[in-house]
Amino acid sequence: FLYTVDGGTTWNGSSVQVLLGGNLFGVAKAGEYVIVAGSTGIAYAKYSDITDGVVNPWTLALSASNINDVQFVSSDVGYACANGGIIYKTTDGGFSWAVLSNAAQTSQNLNSISFVDSTTGYFAGNSGALVQYFNGTLSLLTVRTSVGGAAITANFNVVATAPLRGNEVYLGTSTGLMYRSTNALGSYPLFTAMSGLDGLGGGSIDDIQFAGFRGANMFVIQTAANGTS
């Protein structure tokens, strides 16, 4: 686990001993604690303990396979997604986790999480899987570009939403394509294939993040087919 305290000029590391032997895929901050998720489970540590150099500050919160992402909507409530369509939830800041859905919506691997706020969020995964969380209910959305059109079955590496824009959802695929919906909360959501980004359709879209007022700025990490990014 790497962290910076000077805006990215220098970086320090903290070995997550309780998850050694695996890979880390997701990180989030909840109150005073940092939560990491990976191929062998979820762990947490007090941020001040990490920066103060406390030996082995990490505590195992959940022992489970292939936790691919984690996100918090408050200092107490957070979600994690895993292979096999499993979704976890915590209500105590990441100290303990319970299964929210055991592949009830999809059995596909879920790779990415993005919540607009505490009531609206999305879990994206392989073979076109997109699970919507809205007011406590999970449902599987069909990602299509036209009314009655065929479902998109690409693997979704990342799902992204911008603050205060609950109807707007972005998806990045393992084949380097991006899709955008502006009516994701509607009764029949439709997605548009995006254009204008160099190299779209080759390599993969690996991350999408927003910054600025209401997410006015978008940043995309694209790994090109030749291995560059």
PDB file of all heavy atoms in Angstrom, residues 163-198:
ATOM      1  N   PRO A 163     -20.367  13.545  -9.149  1.00  0.00           N
ATOM      2  CA  PRO A 163     -21.195  14.066  -8.057  1.00  0.00           C
ATOM      3  C   PRO A 163     -22.405  14.829  -8.578  1.00  0.00           C
ATOM      4  O   PRO A 163     -22.311  15.610  -9.531  1.00  0.00           O
ATOM      5  CB  PRO A 163     -20.231  15.004  -7.309  1.00  0.00           C
ATOM      6  CG  PRO A 163     -18.868  14.534  -7.675  1.00  0.00           C
ATOM      7  CD  PRO A 163     -18.975  14.005  -9.064  1.00  0.00           C
ATOM      8  N   LEU A 164     -23.555  14.566  -7.956  1.00  0.00           N
ATOM      9  CA  LEU A 164     -24.809  15.278  -8.240  1.00  0.00           C
ATOM     10  C   LEU A 164     -25.337  15.025  -9.645  1.00  0.00           C
ATOM     11  O   LEU A 164     -26.188  15.757 -10.130  1.00  0.00           O
ATOM     12  CB  LEU A 164     -24.633  16.791  -8.028  1.00  0.00           C
ATOM     13  CG  LEU A 164     -24.121  17.212  -6.646  1.00  0.00           C
ATOM     14  CD1 LEU A 164     -23.927  18.721  -6.581  1.00  0.00           C
ATOM     15  CD2 LEU A 164     -25.067  16.751  -5.544  1.00  0.00           C
ATOM     16  N   ARG A 165     -24.831  13.981 -10.297  1.00  0.00           N
ATOM     17  CA  ARG A 165     -25.300  13.640 -11.644  1.00  0.00           C
ATOM     18  C   ARG A 165     -25.712  12.171 -11.656  1.00  0.00           C
ATOM     19  O   ARG A 165     -25.121  11.324 -12.317  1.00  0.00           O
ATOM     20  CB  ARG A 165     -24.192  13.913 -12.673  1.00  0.00           C
ATOM     21  CG  ARG A 165     -23.948  15.394 -12.912  1.00  0.00           C
ATOM     22  CD  ARG A 165     -22.552  15.721 -13.402  1.00  0.00           C
ATOM     23  NE  ARG A 165     -22.174  15.030 -14.611  1.00  0.00           N
ATOM     24  CZ  ARG A 165     -20.958  15.138 -15.163  1.00  0.00           C
ATOM     25  NH1 ARG A 165     -20.038  15.913 -14.609  1.00  0.00           N
ATOM     26  NH2 ARG A 165     -20.664  14.467 -16.255  1.00  0.00           N
ATOM     27  N   GLY A 166     -26.754  11.866 -10.897  1.00  0.00           N
ATOM     28  CA  GLY A 166     -27.156  10.485 -10.663  1.00  0.00           C
ATOM     29  C   GLY A 166     -27.610   9.730 -11.883  1.00  0.00           C
ATOM     30  O   GLY A 166     -27.524   8.506 -11.941  1.00  0.00           O
ATOM     31  N   ASN A 167     -28.106  10.435 -12.889  1.00  0.00           N
ATOM     32  CA  ASN A 167     -28.582   9.776 -14.105  1.00  0.00           C
ATOM     33  C   ASN A 167     -27.461   9.443 -15.072  1.00  0.00           C
ATOM     34  O   ASN A 167     -27.673   8.770 -16.065  1.00  0.00           O
ATOM     35  CB  ASN A 167     -29.601  10.679 -14.819  1.00  0.00           C
ATOM     36  CG  ASN A 167     -31.023  10.259 -14.517  1.00  0.00           C
ATOM     37  OD1 ASN A 167     -31.286   9.086 -14.284  1.00  0.00           O
ATOM     38  ND2 ASN A 167     -31.937  11.207 -14.495  1.00  0.00           N
ATOM     39  N   GLU A 168     -26.257   9.953 -14.795  1.00  0.00           N
ATOM     40  CA  GLU A 168     -25.163   9.853 -15.760  1.00  0.00           C
ATOM     41  C   GLU A 168     -24.164   8.788 -15.302  1.00  0.00           C
ATOM     42  O   GLU A 168     -23.614   8.871 -14.203  1.00  0.00           O
ATOM     43  CB  GLU A 168     -24.473  11.204 -15.882  1.00  0.00           C
ATOM     44  CG  GLU A 168     -23.606  11.347 -17.107  1.00  0.00           C
ATOM     45  CD  GLU A 168     -23.202  12.802 -17.318  1.00  0.00           C
ATOM     46  OE1 GLU A 168     -23.791  13.690 -16.685  1.00  0.00           O
ATOM     47  OE2 GLU A 168     -22.285  13.032 -18.119  1.00  0.00           O
ATOM     48  N   VAL A 169     -23.920   7.803 -16.168  1.00  0.00           N
ATOM     49  CA  VAL A 169     -23.027   6.687 -15.840  1.00  0.00           C
ATOM     50  C   VAL A 169     -22.076   6.441 -17.006  1.00  0.00           C
ATOM     51  O   VAL A 169     -22.500   6.442 -18.171  1.00  0.00           O
ATOM     52  CB  VAL A 169     -23.831   5.401 -15.544  1.00  0.00           C
ATOM     53  CG1 VAL A 169     -22.892   4.228 -15.300  1.00  0.00           C
ATOM     54  CG2 VAL A 169     -24.742   5.603 -14.346  1.00  0.00           C
ATOM     55  N   TYR A 170     -20.803   6.215 -16.673  1.00  0.00           N
ATOM     56  CA  TYR A 170     -19.796   5.924 -17.678  1.00  0.00           C
ATOM     57  C   TYR A 170     -19.240   4.520 -17.453  1.00  0.00           C
ATOM     58  O   TYR A 170     -19.019   4.117 -16.311  1.00  0.00           O
ATOM     59  CB  TYR A 170     -18.655   6.938 -17.614  1.00  0.00           C
ATOM     60  CG  TYR A 170     -19.046   8.326 -18.036  1.00  0.00           C
ATOM     61  CD1 TYR A 170     -19.736   9.168 -17.168  1.00  0.00           C
ATOM     62  CD2 TYR A 170     -18.743   8.803 -19.310  1.00  0.00           C
ATOM     63  CE1 TYR A 170     -20.102  10.444 -17.551  1.00  0.00           C
ATOM     64  CE2 TYR A 170     -19.107  10.079 -19.703  1.00  0.00           C
ATOM     65  CZ  TYR A 170     -19.788  10.894 -18.812  1.00  0.00           C
ATOM     66  OH  TYR A 170     -20.156  12.157 -19.208  1.00  0.00           O
ATOM     67  N   LEU A 171     -18.995   3.808 -18.543  1.00  0.00           N
ATOM     68  CA  LEU A 171     -18.450   2.455 -18.490  1.00  0.00           C
ATOM     69  C   LEU A 171     -17.220   2.366 -19.386  1.00  0.00           C
ATOM     70  O   LEU A 171     -17.235   2.869 -20.511  1.00  0.00           O
ATOM     71  CB  LEU A 171     -19.486   1.432 -18.959  1.00  0.00           C
ATOM     72  CG  LEU A 171     -20.750   1.302 -18.108  1.00  0.00           C
ATOM     73  CD1 LEU A 171     -21.817   0.529 -18.868  1.00  0.00           C
ATOM     74  CD2 LEU A 171     -20.443   0.625 -16.781  1.00  0.00           C
ATOM     75  N   GLY A 172     -16.169   1.709 -18.880  1.00  0.00           N
ATOM     76  CA  GLY A 172     -14.972   1.459 -19.684  1.00  0.00           C
ATOM     77  C   GLY A 172     -14.773  -0.035 -19.836  1.00  0.00           C
ATOM     78  O   GLY A 172     -14.904  -0.788 -18.864  1.00  0.00           O
ATOM     79  N   THR A 173     -14.463  -0.481 -21.038  1.00  0.00           N
ATOM     80  CA  THR A 173     -14.416  -1.914 -21.317  1.00  0.00           C
ATOM     81  C   THR A 173     -12.986  -2.420 -21.477  1.00  0.00           C
ATOM     82  O   THR A 173     -12.040  -1.656 -21.688  1.00  0.00           O
ATOM     83  CB  THR A 173     -15.188  -2.261 -22.605  1.00  0.00           C
ATOM     84  OG1 THR A 173     -14.395  -1.880 -23.742  1.00  0.00           O
ATOM     85  CG2 THR A 173     -16.537  -1.553 -22.653  1.00  0.00           C
ATOM     86  N   SER A 174     -12.869  -3.739 -21.425  1.00  0.00           N
ATOM     87  CA  SER A 174     -11.569  -4.392 -21.608  1.00  0.00           C
ATOM     88  C   SER A 174     -11.121  -4.378 -23.063  1.00  0.00           C
ATOM     89  O   SER A 174      -9.996  -4.774 -23.369  1.00  0.00           O
ATOM     90  CB  SER A 174     -11.640  -5.836 -21.112  1.00  0.00           C
ATOM     91  OG  SER A 174     -12.584  -6.576 -21.871  1.00  0.00           O
ATOM     92  N   THR A 175     -11.997  -3.920 -23.952  1.00  0.00           N
ATOM     93  CA  THR A 175     -11.636  -3.796 -25.368  1.00  0.00           C
ATOM     94  C   THR A 175     -11.402  -2.339 -25.765  1.00  0.00           C
ATOM     95  O   THR A 175     -11.348  -2.015 -26.953  1.00  0.00           O
ATOM     96  CB  THR A 175     -12.728  -4.405 -26.263  1.00  0.00           C
ATOM     97  OG1 THR A 175     -13.989  -3.804 -25.945  1.00  0.00           O
ATOM     98  CG2 THR A 175     -12.816  -5.898 -26.055  1.00  0.00           C
ATOM     99  N   GLY A 176     -11.290  -1.454 -24.772  1.00  0.00           N
ATOM    100  CA  GLY A 176     -10.922  -0.073 -25.051  1.00  0.00           C
ATOM    101  C   GLY A 176     -12.045   0.835 -25.475  1.00  0.00           C
ATOM    102  O   GLY A 176     -11.802   1.918 -26.017  1.00  0.00           O
ATOM    103  N   LEU A 177     -13.295   0.436 -25.221  1.00  0.00           N
ATOM    104  CA  LEU A 177     -14.437   1.269 -25.567  1.00  0.00           C
ATOM    105  C   LEU A 177     -15.013   1.933 -24.316  1.00  0.00           C
ATOM    106  O   LEU A 177     -14.851   1.427 -23.201  1.00  0.00           O
ATOM    107  CB  LEU A 177     -15.524   0.447 -26.258  1.00  0.00           C
ATOM    108  CG  LEU A 177     -15.149  -0.176 -27.603  1.00  0.00           C
ATOM    109  CD1 LEU A 177     -16.271  -1.084 -28.099  1.00  0.00           C
ATOM    110  CD2 LEU A 177     -14.852   0.905 -28.633  1.00  0.00           C
ATOM    111  N   MET A 178     -15.708   3.056 -24.506  1.00  0.00           N
ATOM    112  CA  MET A 178     -16.392   3.740 -23.421  1.00  0.00           C
ATOM    113  C   MET A 178     -17.847   3.977 -23.801  1.00  0.00           C
ATOM    114  O   MET A 178     -18.146   4.301 -24.960  1.00  0.00           O
ATOM    115  CB  MET A 178     -15.715   5.076 -23.102  1.00  0.00           C
ATOM    116  CG  MET A 178     -14.365   4.947 -22.420  1.00  0.00           C
ATOM    117  SD  MET A 178     -13.601   6.557 -22.116  1.00  0.00           S
ATOM    118  CE  MET A 178     -14.829   7.306 -21.023  1.00  0.00           C
ATOM    119  N   TYR A 179     -18.725   3.824 -22.810  1.00  0.00           N
ATOM    120  CA  TYR A 179     -20.152   4.055 -23.017  1.00  0.00           C
ATOM    121  C   TYR A 179     -20.654   5.031 -21.960  1.00  0.00           C
ATOM    122  O   TYR A 179     -20.148   5.071 -20.835  1.00  0.00           O
ATOM    123  CB  TYR A 179     -20.940   2.746 -22.917  1.00  0.00           C
ATOM    124  CG  TYR A 179     -20.619   1.751 -24.013  1.00  0.00           C
ATOM    125  CD1 TYR A 179     -19.631   0.797 -23.835  1.00  0.00           C
ATOM    126  CD2 TYR A 179     -21.299   1.780 -25.221  1.00  0.00           C
ATOM    127  CE1 TYR A 179     -19.320  -0.117 -24.841  1.00  0.00           C
ATOM    128  CE2 TYR A 179     -21.006   0.879 -26.231  1.00  0.00           C
ATOM    129  CZ  TYR A 179     -20.013  -0.067 -26.031  1.00  0.00           C
ATOM    130  OH  TYR A 179     -19.720  -0.953 -27.028  1.00  0.00           O
ATOM    131  N   ARG A 180     -21.680   5.793 -22.325  1.00  0.00           N
ATOM    132  CA  ARG A 180     -22.236   6.804 -21.427  1.00  0.00           C
ATOM    133  C   ARG A 180     -23.764   6.776 -21.486  1.00  0.00           C
ATOM    134  O   ARG A 180     -24.344   6.727 -22.571  1.00  0.00           O
ATOM    135  CB  ARG A 180     -21.741   8.192 -21.834  1.00  0.00           C
ATOM    136  CG  ARG A 180     -22.401   9.374 -21.129  1.00  0.00           C
ATOM    137  CD  ARG A 180     -21.769  10.655 -21.638  1.00  0.00           C
ATOM    138  NE  ARG A 180     -22.306  11.849 -21.002  1.00  0.00           N
ATOM    139  CZ  ARG A 180     -23.095  12.719 -21.604  1.00  0.00           C
ATOM    140  NH1 ARG A 180     -23.454  12.527 -22.863  1.00  0.00           N
ATOM    141  NH2 ARG A 180     -23.516  13.792 -20.964  1.00  0.00           N
ATOM    142  N   SER A 181     -24.382   6.803 -20.323  1.00  0.00           N
ATOM    143  CA  SER A 181     -25.834   6.911 -20.239  1.00  0.00           C
ATOM    144  C   SER A 181     -26.191   8.188 -19.489  1.00  0.00           C
ATOM    145  O   SER A 181     -25.533   8.548 -18.509  1.00  0.00           O
ATOM    146  CB  SER A 181     -26.434   5.714 -19.496  1.00  0.00           C
ATOM    147  OG  SER A 181     -27.833   5.897 -19.324  1.00  0.00           O
ATOM    148  N   THR A 182     -27.233   8.854 -19.958  1.00  0.00           N
ATOM    149  CA  THR A 182     -27.733  10.041 -19.256  1.00  0.00           C
ATOM    150  C   THR A 182     -29.128   9.802 -18.678  1.00  0.00           C
ATOM    151  O   THR A 182     -29.751  10.731 -18.178  1.00  0.00           O
ATOM    152  CB  THR A 182     -27.777  11.256 -20.200  1.00  0.00           C
ATOM    153  OG1 THR A 182     -28.596  10.949 -21.339  1.00  0.00           O
ATOM    154  CG2 THR A 182     -26.379  11.636 -20.665  1.00  0.00           C
ATOM    155  N   ASN A 183     -29.594   8.555 -18.741  1.00  0.00           N
ATOM    156  CA  ASN A 183     -30.894   8.229 -18.139  1.00  0.00           C
ATOM    157  C   ASN A 183     -30.823   6.903 -17.395  1.00  0.00           C
ATOM    158  O   ASN A 183     -31.732   6.075 -17.461  1.00  0.00           O
ATOM    159  CB  ASN A 183     -32.002   8.195 -19.198  1.00  0.00           C
ATOM    160  CG  ASN A 183     -31.868   7.004 -20.140  1.00  0.00           C
ATOM    161  OD1 ASN A 183     -30.761   6.559 -20.429  1.00  0.00           O
ATOM    162  ND2 ASN A 183     -32.998   6.478 -20.602  1.00  0.00           N
ATOM    163  N   ALA A 184     -29.714   6.719 -16.666  1.00  0.00           N
ATOM    164  CA  ALA A 184     -29.479   5.429 -16.010  1.00  0.00           C
ATOM    165  C   ALA A 184     -30.531   5.091 -14.971  1.00  0.00           C
ATOM    166  O   ALA A 184     -30.736   3.920 -14.643  1.00  0.00           O
ATOM    167  CB  ALA A 184     -28.095   5.418 -15.374  1.00  0.00           C
ATOM    168  N   LEU A 185     -31.198   6.104 -14.418  1.00  0.00           N
ATOM    169  CA  LEU A 185     -32.252   5.860 -13.433  1.00  0.00           C
ATOM    170  C   LEU A 185     -33.629   5.749 -14.076  1.00  0.00           C
ATOM    171  O   LEU A 185     -34.634   5.604 -13.387  1.00  0.00           O
ATOM    172  CB  LEU A 185     -32.270   6.978 -12.375  1.00  0.00           C
ATOM    173  CG  LEU A 185     -31.065   7.007 -11.429  1.00  0.00           C
ATOM    174  CD1 LEU A 185     -31.134   8.225 -10.522  1.00  0.00           C
ATOM    175  CD2 LEU A 185     -30.989   5.739 -10.610  1.00  0.00           C
ATOM    176  N   GLY A 186     -33.673   5.816 -15.396  1.00  0.00           N
ATOM    177  CA  GLY A 186     -34.945   5.717 -16.085  1.00  0.00           C
ATOM    178  C   GLY A 186     -35.428   4.284 -16.198  1.00  0.00           C
ATOM    179  O   GLY A 186     -34.731   3.330 -15.838  1.00  0.00           O
ATOM    180  N   SER A 187     -36.631   4.129 -16.709  1.00  0.00           N
ATOM    181  CA  SER A 187     -37.222   2.796 -16.832  1.00  0.00           C
ATOM    182  C   SER A 187     -36.599   1.999 -17.969  1.00  0.00           C
ATOM    183  O   SER A 187     -36.700   0.766 -18.001  1.00  0.00           O
ATOM    184  CB  SER A 187     -38.735   2.911 -17.046  1.00  0.00           C
ATOM    185  OG  SER A 187     -39.018   3.674 -18.221  1.00  0.00           O
ATOM    186  N   TYR A 188     -35.938   2.668 -18.899  1.00  0.00           N
ATOM    187  CA  TYR A 188     -35.303   1.995 -20.036  1.00  0.00           C
ATOM    188  C   TYR A 188     -34.010   2.729 -20.362  1.00  0.00           C
ATOM    189  O   TYR A 188     -33.925   3.484 -21.337  1.00  0.00           O
ATOM    190  CB  TYR A 188     -36.240   2.007 -21.253  1.00  0.00           C
ATOM    191  CG  TYR A 188     -35.903   0.967 -22.304  1.00  0.00           C
ATOM    192  CD1 TYR A 188     -36.592  -0.244 -22.351  1.00  0.00           C
ATOM    193  CD2 TYR A 188     -34.908   1.193 -23.250  1.00  0.00           C
ATOM    194  CE1 TYR A 188     -36.294  -1.192 -23.331  1.00  0.00           C
ATOM    195  CE2 TYR A 188     -34.606   0.256 -24.217  1.00  0.00           C
ATOM    196  CZ  TYR A 188     -35.305  -0.934 -24.252  1.00  0.00           C
ATOM    197  OH  TYR A 188     -35.006  -1.875 -25.213  1.00  0.00           O
ATOM    198  N   PRO A 189     -32.967   2.514 -19.563  1.00  0.00           N
ATOM    199  CA  PRO A 189     -31.715   3.247 -19.783  1.00  0.00           C
ATOM    200  C   PRO A 189     -31.044   2.857 -21.097  1.00  0.00           C
ATOM    201  O   PRO A 189     -31.053   1.699 -21.490  1.00  0.00           O
ATOM    202  CB  PRO A 189     -30.852   2.850 -18.586  1.00  0.00           C
ATOM    203  CG  PRO A 189     -31.406   1.539 -18.131  1.00  0.00           C
ATOM    204  CD  PRO A 189     -32.879   1.610 -18.406  1.00  0.00           C
ATOM    205  N   LEU A 190     -30.487   3.857 -21.773  1.00  0.00           N
ATOM    206  CA  LEU A 190     -29.740   3.634 -23.008  1.00  0.00           C
ATOM    207  C   LEU A 190     -28.340   4.223 -22.861  1.00  0.00           C
ATOM    208  O   LEU A 190     -28.141   5.210 -22.151  1.00  0.00           O
ATOM    209  CB  LEU A 190     -30.444   4.280 -24.200  1.00  0.00           C
ATOM    210  CG  LEU A 190     -31.776   3.665 -24.622  1.00  0.00           C
ATOM    211  CD1 LEU A 190     -32.395   4.485 -25.748  1.00  0.00           C
ATOM    212  CD2 LEU A 190     -31.603   2.213 -25.048  1.00  0.00           C
ATOM    213  N   PHE A 191     -27.395   3.609 -23.551  1.00  0.00           N
ATOM    214  CA  PHE A 191     -26.006   4.042 -23.501  1.00  0.00           C
ATOM    215  C   PHE A 191     -25.548   4.446 -24.899  1.00  0.00           C
ATOM    216  O   PHE A 191     -25.990   3.881 -25.897  1.00  0.00           O
ATOM    217  CB  PHE A 191     -25.115   2.929 -22.960  1.00  0.00           C
ATOM    218  CG  PHE A 191     -25.268   2.701 -21.481  1.00  0.00           C
ATOM    219  CD1 PHE A 191     -26.383   2.021 -20.985  1.00  0.00           C
ATOM    220  CD2 PHE A 191     -24.318   3.166 -20.595  1.00  0.00           C
ATOM    221  CE1 PHE A 191     -26.527   1.815 -19.623  1.00  0.00           C
ATOM    222  CE2 PHE A 191     -24.461   2.970 -19.234  1.00  0.00           C
ATOM    223  CZ  PHE A 191     -25.572   2.293 -18.737  1.00  0.00           C
ATOM    224  N   THR A 192     -24.637   5.411 -24.948  1.00  0.00           N
ATOM    225  CA  THR A 192     -24.057   5.882 -26.196  1.00  0.00           C
ATOM    226  C   THR A 192     -22.585   5.534 -26.220  1.00  0.00           C
ATOM    227  O   THR A 192     -21.874   5.762 -25.226  1.00  0.00           O
ATOM    228  CB  THR A 192     -24.225   7.405 -26.335  1.00  0.00           C
ATOM    229  OG1 THR A 192     -25.611   7.724 -26.326  1.00  0.00           O
ATOM    230  CG2 THR A 192     -23.592   7.894 -27.634  1.00  0.00           C
ATOM    231  N   ALA A 193     -22.102   4.974 -27.322  1.00  0.00           N
ATOM    232  CA  ALA A 193     -20.681   4.711 -27.483  1.00  0.00           C
ATOM    233  C   ALA A 193     -19.967   6.042 -27.658  1.00  0.00           C
ATOM    234  O   ALA A 193     -20.330   6.849 -28.517  1.00  0.00           O
ATOM    235  CB  ALA A 193     -20.438   3.807 -28.687  1.00  0.00           C
ATOM    236  N   MET A 194     -18.965   6.304 -26.833  1.00  0.00           N
ATOM    237  CA  MET A 194     -18.259   7.580 -26.881  1.00  0.00           C
ATOM    238  C   MET A 194     -17.194   7.575 -27.975  1.00  0.00           C
ATOM    239  O   MET A 194     -16.693   6.526 -28.374  1.00  0.00           O
ATOM    240  CB  MET A 194     -17.638   7.876 -25.519  1.00  0.00           C
ATOM    241  CG  MET A 194     -18.658   7.969 -24.390  1.00  0.00           C
ATOM    242  SD  MET A 194     -17.930   8.490 -22.828  1.00  0.00           S
ATOM    243  CE  MET A 194     -17.517  10.190 -23.236  1.00  0.00           C
ATOM    244  N   SER A 195     -16.861   8.760 -28.436  1.00  0.00           N
ATOM    245  CA  SER A 195     -15.854   8.913 -29.482  1.00  0.00           C
ATOM    246  C   SER A 195     -14.952  10.084 -29.126  1.00  0.00           C
ATOM    247  O   SER A 195     -15.193  10.804 -28.160  1.00  0.00           O
ATOM    248  CB  SER A 195     -16.522   9.152 -30.841  1.00  0.00           C
ATOM    249  OG  SER A 195     -17.308  10.339 -30.792  1.00  0.00           O
ATOM    250  N   GLY A 196     -13.882  10.255 -29.903  1.00  0.00           N
ATOM    251  CA  GLY A 196     -13.024  11.412 -29.730  1.00  0.00           C
ATOM    252  C   GLY A 196     -11.789  11.176 -28.889  1.00  0.00           C
ATOM    253  O   GLY A 196     -10.914  12.034 -28.816  1.00  0.00           O
ATOM    254  N   LEU A 197     -11.688  10.019 -28.235  1.00  0.00           N
ATOM    255  CA  LEU A 197     -10.501   9.703 -27.444  1.00  0.00           C
ATOM    256  C   LEU A 197      -9.546   8.874 -28.297  1.00  0.00           C
ATOM    257  O   LEU A 197      -9.953   7.872 -28.882  1.00  0.00           O
ATOM    258  CB  LEU A 197     -10.898   8.925 -26.192  1.00  0.00           C
ATOM    259  CG  LEU A 197      -9.804   8.646 -25.165  1.00  0.00           C
ATOM    260  CD1 LEU A 197      -9.357   9.931 -24.496  1.00  0.00           C
ATOM    261  CD2 LEU A 197     -10.303   7.667 -24.105  1.00  0.00           C
ATOM    262  N   ASP A 198      -8.301   9.295 -28.385  1.00  0.00           N
ATOM    263  CA  ASP A 198      -7.328   8.572 -29.200  1.00  0.00           C
ATOM    264  C   ASP A 198      -7.242   7.112 -28.781  1.00  0.00           C
ATOM    265  O   ASP A 198      -7.141   6.806 -27.601  1.00  0.00           O
ATOM    266  CB  ASP A 198      -5.939   9.202 -29.072  1.00  0.00           C
ATOM    267  CG  ASP A 198      -5.840  10.530 -29.794  1.00  0.00           C
ATOM    268  OD1 ASP A 198      -6.734  10.805 -30.608  1.00  0.00           O
ATOM    269  OD2 ASP A 198      -4.883  11.275 -29.542  1.00  0.00           O
TER     270      ASP A 198
END
